[in-house]
């Protein structure tokens, strides 16, 4: 049984930045993207502070975010990485399966990765993610390096938008034709 504790808060800053970005996109009428809550069952609660200190996940989560951008279904996961090597074990098979099914329904799936040491965001296209995933499945590297990533999909905050992933999504759509 998977349990939750303070380690589960890793990446919460990235998610907060994405949440603020999503609010901005909504207010501008560009997108409706929502954080997908992960259902948990509390096991221990600090009664003085009313905080959950230990819990287990009721079910496997899918991805962190889901919604629509100008009528296009979108799902993505947010990941934080503090080195130049991203371990694929940070992505779960059930997430890949969900993204695959989402893509089959003409949706767009991707990862937003924040390379914290470089203070850089990266939009990992579903197609590129699957290259890395399949390589690992076939006995190859179980990670990918910063140098293997597509330079045109690195991005940074601009125009008052903290994580402007829609710019990268537009590039992704143009590649798909």
């Amino acid at each position: 049984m998977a349990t939750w504790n303070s380690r589960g808060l890793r990446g919460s800053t990235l998610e907060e930045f994405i949440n603020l970005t999503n609010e901005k996109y909504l207010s501008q009428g560009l997108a409706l993207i929502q954080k997908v809550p992960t259902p948990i069952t509390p096991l221990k609660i600090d009664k003085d502070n009313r905080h959950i200190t230990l819990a287990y996940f009721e079910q496997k989560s899918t991805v962190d975010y889901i919604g629509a951008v100008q009528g296009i279904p979108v799902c993505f996961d947010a990941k934080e990485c503090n080195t130049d090597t991203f371990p694929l074990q940070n992505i779960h098979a059930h997430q890949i399966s969900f993204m695959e099914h989402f893509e089959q329904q003409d949706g767009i799936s991707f990862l937003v990765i924040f390379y914290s040491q470089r203070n850089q965001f990266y939009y990992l296209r579903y197609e590129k993610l699957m290259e890395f995933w399949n390589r690992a499945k076939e006995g190859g590297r179980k990670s990918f390096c910063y140098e293997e990533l597509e330079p045109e999909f690195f991005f940074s905050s601009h125009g008052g938008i903290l994580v402007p992933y829609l710019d990268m999504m537009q590039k992704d759509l143009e590649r798909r034709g």
Side-chain angles (χ1 to χ4, degrees):
M1 153 181 31
T3 60
W4 172 88
N5 61 30
S6 62
R7 282 178 40 115
L9 295 177
R10 291 178 305 172
S12 63
T13 302
L14 173 60
E15 288 185 359
E16 185 56 32
F17 285 176
I18 291 173
N19 293 343
L20 291 169
T21 297
N22 289 340
E23 287 174 23
K24 189 101 165 171
Y25 284 158
L26 178 62
S27 72
Q28 294 174 347
L30 296 173
L32 173 61
I33 306 291
Q34 293 189 319
K35 173 84 174 92
V36 177
T38 304
I40 62 167
T41 298
L43 295 176
K44 289 184 183 175
I45 299 174
D46 178 343
K47 290 182 177 33
D48 296 334
N49 297 318
R50 298 185 66 182
H51 287 112
I52 298 169
T53 58
L54 183 64
Y56 73 89
F57 296 108
E58 292 177 10
Q59 59 192 23
K60 293 178 179 178
S61 64
T62 53
V63 292
D64 292 329
Y65 294 92
I66 197 162
V69 176
Q70 307 287 303
I72 301 167
V74 173
C75 79
F76 65 96
D77 211 65
K79 302 290 185 187
E80 207 163 320
C81 187
N82 61 6
T83 67
D84 283 354
T85 303
F86 187 95
L88 288 167
Q89 69 184 18
N90 291 345
I91 305 165
H92 304 285
H94 66 273
Q95 291 177 308
I96 294 290
S97 176
F98 181 83
M99 293 169 84
E100 179 182 14
H101 291 299
F102 203 86
E103 289 275 330
Q104 289 170 354
Q105 295 297 319
D106 293 327
I108 305 279
S109 303
F110 56 92
L111 297 183
V112 171
I113 301 173
F114 179 61
Y115 284 92
S116 55
Q117 286 187 326
R118 293 176 175 265
N119 196 31
Q120 215 172 15
F121 296 103
Y122 184 73
Y123 176 103
L124 181 59
R125 300 179 307 111
Y126 171 78
E127 185 178 284
K128 191 72 175 169
L129 169 60
M130 292 313 296
E131 282 179 31
F132 297 138
W133 186 263
N134 290 330
R135 175 178 74 185
K137 221 168 90 175
E138 293 164 6
R141 286 185 58 145
K142 308 277 187 254
S143 63
F144 57 86
C145 297
Y146 182 88
E147 293 77 23
E148 292 182 88
L149 300 174
E150 300 165 301
E152 66 270 27
F153 286 97
F154 285 100
F155 64 101
S156 37
S157 302
H158 68 78
I161 299 178
L162 295 169
V163 188
Y165 61 85
L166 288 187
D167 298 342
M168 299 300 106
M169 194 181 123
Q170 182 64 39
K171 281 186 186 182
D172 188 359
L173 285 168
E174 289 167 3
R175 271 213 177 173
R176 294 170 184 231

